[in-house]
């Protein structure tokens, strides 16, 4: 993680809160999540390749990285629900 990354503080605060709640995540547990996040960042920025106009690049970055976040979180929840049903034999649509 780059030293000037603004999200560093949010990650540190989250890790501290989890630790205080008795759910410590060590770097071995966190590393696969960091790798997935890195791959997502590559996908996000790949969509900006070829743009030369600075304003167009900034607009596209906003549209492709910030605005879709709620939908991406929903995709994660859907995947988690599907995996849980697969692992635990839950019926489709069951709570």
């Amino acid at each position: 993680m780059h030293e000037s990354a603004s999200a560093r503080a949010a990650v540190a605060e989250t890790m501290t809160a989890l630790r205080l709640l008795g759910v410590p995540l060590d770097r071995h547990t966190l590393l696969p999540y960091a790798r997935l996040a890195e791959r997502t960042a590559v996908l996000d920025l790949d969509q900006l390749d070829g743009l030369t106009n600075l304003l167009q690049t900034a607009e596209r970055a906003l549209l492709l990285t910030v605005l879709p976040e709620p939908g991406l979180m929903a995709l994660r929840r859907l995947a988690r629900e599907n995996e849980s049903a697969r692992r635990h034999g839950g019926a489709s649509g069951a709570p």
Side-chain angles (χ1 to χ4, degrees):
M1 187 177 338
H2 193 274
E3 289 180 15
S4 67
S6 60
R8 283 179 73 118
V11 171
E13 289 172 13
T14 300
M15 302 307 292
T16 299
L18 287 169
R19 193 170 21 260
L20 291 171
L21 292 169
V23 186
L25 295 178
D26 63 17
R27 65 185 184 104
H28 299 290
T29 303
L30 195 58
L31 187 59
Y33 290 100
R35 287 185 177 141
L36 285 170
E38 185 176 47
R39 287 179 30 207
T40 301
V42 169
L43 287 171
D44 288 345
L45 294 176
D46 281 352
Q47 296 182 58
L48 303 177
D49 283 349
L51 299 177
T52 56
N53 178 287
L54 188 57
L55 181 57
Q56 181 185 21
T57 302
E59 289 174 347
R60 184 87 172 156
L62 177 68
L63 292 173
L64 294 174
T65 60
V66 176
L67 296 178
E69 282 190 17
L72 294 174
M73 292 306 297
L75 283 173
R76 181 180 180 201
R77 285 191 306 273
L78 284 169
R80 190 181 305 127
E81 290 169 6
N82 184 60
E83 182 63 15
S84 178
R86 187 189 68 76
R87 289 184 185 201
H88 305 290
S92 179

